[in-house]
Amino acid sequence: MKVFTAEQIRSWDQFTISEEPVSSVQLMERASMEAAHWISENAKNYKKMVLFCGNGNNGGDGLAIARMLYIKGFDVDVFVNDPKGKFSEDALINLKRLRDISGITVRKFNEVNQYSMDDKAVIIDALFGTGLSRPLEGIHKMLVEQLNEKKNIRISIDVPSGLSADALFDDNATVLKADYTLSFQCWKRSFLHPETGKYTGKVVVLNIGLSEKYNSITETRYFVTDDQLIESVFKPRQDFSHKGNYGKVTIIGGSYGKIGAAVLATRSALKAGAGLTFTVAPECGYEILQTTCPEAMFIKGGENYVKDFDEYEGMILGIGPGLGTHQETEAGLLHFLKNNRLPLILDADALNIISKDQDNIRMIPEKTIITPHPKEFERLFGSTKNSFQRLELAKEKAKEFYIYIVLKDHHTQIITPQEHVFYNITGNAGLAKGGSGDILTGILTSLLAQGYSEEEACILGVWLHGKAADIASEKHSKESMLPTEVIDELGAVFKELNNKKLL
């Protein structure tokens, strides 16, 4: 799914209006109908709806939704700044339609303090949409602060009020904290970053029938990895095939006390479908690896840590899980990088070793996939003020070094050398445990060995990792799920993908 800017979304509306043709107020009616339908279906146990509407088109959506919810049998109250104030043309039309319904009371914002709102009422936020260009102030700021103190469920229409669609205003900006955000047609970038996404609650994308032609011809560098993209990337296993068709993986990692990381990466590489899997680890991990991963072959790389990084012809290498940063490990890895120009997967301690000297970064082979979490990224490329700036820096570095950066976060971002960004929306906070990154390294290495391109391996691998984690969290909870249980659920995800291909 493409992610468009607020300006592109406005152009999308206008393109749809001229192409169908359809009037702007009819398009507003269509969007409001979808939102009202979702609310009525998902809030059946709530009788009272209280809508807060601005003077622009987002407010117009809210006024139309109020009318539709009333018709569906809900008790509805509406608040606006001033019923006699200046509204956008389409919002004014919907305000007039609302006035024709005697059962709906329209109040002013300054009456909120005297209004008795039961905790079971649903607050619907339609104050500001994608057109907001500065932080809230004045009466709107005060109103949102009041609403945020309520215990009621809060549903935002298109964008939580006070939030920019594309950027971060400032850390102290007042934003409505929604439980649900009903986003029209596509995700917004601000929903996908930690500083701003925390305000959206669960994001529900509603298809309001905007022009598919505009969607196909309009370019963007930003995408959300959705089911349609995954189904286009995934390659089912062929019946008439053998292990040689699915590549050779070598995981290089582990050190005394950190053999578990190598185990997790090896097991996930096996579970993700590699034809042959090898693990280069120190002698101290031999029995552990051979016991826990009998399907993989062990190669000794040292005694208590890996120091021997040989050439592994015809293999895809995943280097870093539990590797440690011993002096001999560091020397061996840097010597290997200096002489190897084949793409790799680099993670964890491999990145920590490289980050010790900025000149080391230039030894990373082109088309390599690196998988830093924010702190590892900072060590490699420098600090930034927020995740938006970090992403811009990642785009610069991916292009400069011609590498793929998997920037791990709640919504992990995949950045390509062409500066395309794919946001992943599977996964959950249960992955915030040691070992989760080692699993991802194994999956990515396995997919690359099976013939997926670097971009495809990143997109599918990160999605698989998150999807398996979602299944694990359903079974065990986010608090108790273990990385090993995420590996165990990879089979369920592949089964689901194969079943979709059969249809």
Side-chain angles (χ1 to χ4, degrees):
M1 177 186 291
K2 291 181 177 179
V3 178
F4 291 130
T5 64
E7 185 178 344
Q8 286 175 315
I9 292 169
R10 284 191 289 274
S11 297
W12 200 355
D13 286 344
Q14 292 305 312
F15 189 95
T16 303
I17 289 167
S18 61
E19 184 191 43
E20 284 200 29
V22 60
S23 69
S24 59
V25 73
Q26 287 172 332
L27 188 59
M28 181 178 286
E29 192 81 357
R30 185 191 298 176
S32 302
M33 194 176 298
E34 289 296 325
H37 175 72
W38 188 93
I39 294 167
S40 64
E41 288 296 308
N42 290 276
K44 292 177 181 177
N45 297 328
Y46 297 86
K47 192 173 182 181
K48 185 77 171 181
M49 301 287 162
V50 185
L51 292 96
F52 294 85
C53 303
N55 290 20
N57 283 346
N58 190 253
D61 292 329
L63 295 166
I65 291 167
R67 167 170 44 88
M68 294 171 187
L69 290 175
Y70 180 80
I71 292 170
K72 290 177 181 289
F74 292 93
D75 292 335
V76 176
D77 280 336
V78 174
F79 284 84
V80 298
N81 188 20
D82 180 1
K84 297 181 180 179
K86 185 178 180 180
F87 289 79
S88 71
E89 183 178 344
D90 292 342
L92 185 59
I93 289 171
N94 275 299
L95 180 60
K96 289 177 179 177
R97 289 174 178 174
L98 205 64
R99 284 171 174 159
D100 293 335
I101 301 174
S102 59
I104 299 178
T105 302
V106 179
R107 295 178 166 86
K108 295 182 178 181
F109 290 161
N110 58 18
E111 298 178 50
V112 170
N113 288 332
Q114 291 78 43
Y115 180 75
S116 178
M117 189 185 302
D118 188 282
D119 286 349
K120 292 185 179 179
V122 175
I123 293 172
I124 299 176
D125 158 40
L127 293 169
F128 293 97
T130 58
L132 189 67
S133 59
R134 63 181 185 275
L136 296 181
E137 54 189 25
I139 192 169
H140 295 104
K141 182 176 185 292
M142 292 174 58
L143 176 62
V144 167
E145 288 172 346
Q146 286 178 291
L147 296 180
N148 280 341
E149 292 176 0
K150 303 287 185 183
K151 295 180 180 178
N152 306 70
I153 287 178
R154 294 180 286 270
I155 301 174
S156 286
I157 304 304
D158 205 22
V159 177
S161 290
L163 193 66
S164 165
D166 306 319
L168 174 67
F169 283 140
D170 64 63
D171 293 337
N172 298 316
T174 297
V175 181
L176 187 125
K177 191 168 179 56
D179 296 289
Y180 298 90
T181 296
L182 307 185
S183 180
F184 294 144
Q185 206 68 40
C186 69
W187 285 75
K188 281 72 174 176
R189 280 191 65 205
S190 61
F191 298 176
L192 297 156
H193 286 259
E195 300 93 342
T196 47
K198 64 185 179 183
Y199 294 107
T200 66
K202 180 177 174 58
V203 175
V204 179
V205 178
L206 300 177
N207 187 338
I208 63 171
L210 295 183
S211 168
E212 183 53 41
K213 181 179 178 182
Y214 179 93
N215 184 43
S216 64
I217 65 175
T218 303
E219 294 186 359
T220 178
R221 292 184 183 274
Y222 302 98
F223 305 85
V224 162
T225 301
D226 58 8
D227 290 351
Q228 185 178 0
L229 177 56
I230 291 300
E231 288 171 27
S232 70
V233 169
F234 174 61
K235 302 170 185 176
R237 220 168 178 86
Q238 297 301 308
D239 291 336
F240 292 93
S241 60
H242 54 81
K243 62 187 178 185
N245 297 123
Y246 300 106
K248 297 178 182 179
V249 163
T250 298
I251 299 296
I252 304 178
S255 55
Y256 185 84
K258 297 181 181 178
I259 298 300
V263 170
L264 292 171
T266 301
R267 283 193 60 200
S268 61
L270 289 163
K271 272 285 194 177
L276 286 170
T277 302
F278 300 80
T279 307
V280 177
E283 178 73 20
C284 65
Y286 171 74
E287 291 183 1
I288 298 171
L289 281 157
Q290 288 287 268
T291 302
T292 57
C293 308
E295 301 89 346
M297 287 160 275
F298 181 89
I299 299 173
K300 179 180 175 181
E303 296 299 327
N304 289 317
Y305 47 84
V306 177
K307 62 179 182 178
D308 299 323
F309 293 80
D310 295 327
E311 295 292 332
Y312 299 99
E313 189 175 347
M315 296 183 179
I316 300 298
L317 308 184
I319 307 176
L323 189 65
T325 57
H326 190 277
Q327 187 176 351
E328 288 191 76
T329 303
E330 179 179 334
L333 175 61
L334 295 178
H335 177 76
F336 172 76
L337 290 175
K338 192 177 294 185
N339 294 283
N340 173 73
R341 301 322 302 159
L342 296 177
L344 310 162
I345 314 291
L346 296 174
D347 180 35
D349 283 331
L351 298 179
N352 290 331
I353 289 170
I354 291 169
S355 68
K356 289 183 179 181
D357 189 325
Q358 289 298 297
D359 289 338
N360 294 340
I361 297 172
R362 301 192 178 278
M363 291 194 290
I364 299 175
E366 288 188 356
K367 300 175 75 174
T368 285
I369 299 170
I370 67 171
T371 62
H373 57 57
K375 205 66 182 175
E376 289 167 341
F377 180 86
E378 182 178 323
R379 293 188 199 114
L380 285 165
F381 302 118
S383 62
T384 52
K385 291 182 179 179
N386 55 62
S387 67
F388 288 90
Q389 289 187 7
R390 184 169 64 232
L391 178 57
E392 291 306 307
L393 180 58
K395 286 164 60 181
E396 291 176 19
K397 296 304 180 181
K399 181 180 180 181
E400 179 182 353
F401 298 111
Y402 206 85
I403 58 176
Y404 294 81
I405 300 176
V406 176
L407 189 51
K408 291 183 282 197
D409 210 330
H410 178 62
H411 293 305
T412 291
Q413 298 128 50
I414 297 155
I415 303 102
T416 75
Q418 295 76 29
E419 298 182 275
H420 290 160
V421 178
F422 295 86
Y423 291 93
N424 185 67
I425 55 173
T426 60
N428 58 77
L431 286 170
K433 292 185 176 75
S436 296
D438 304 319
I439 295 169
L440 179 59
T441 296
I443 294 171
L444 293 172
T445 311
S446 182
L447 294 176
L448 204 57
Q450 291 173 62
Y452 288 92
S453 70
E454 287 79 12
E455 182 174 302
E456 291 171 339
C458 289
I459 291 169
L460 179 58
V462 174
W463 182 90
L464 282 169
H465 184 241
K467 190 74 170 178
D470 288 338
I471 298 173
S473 72
E474 285 293 319
K475 291 184 177 181
H476 307 286
S477 82
K478 295 173 186 176
E479 291 79 7
S480 292
M481 60 180 270
L482 297 173
T484 49
E485 290 162 343
V486 175
I487 297 173
D488 292 339
E489 298 302 340
L490 285 171
V493 183
F494 278 116
K495 186 175 181 180
E496 182 181 322
L497 284 174
N498 278 292
N499 286 339
K500 286 182 179 179
K501 284 289 185 178
L502 288 173
L503 296 174

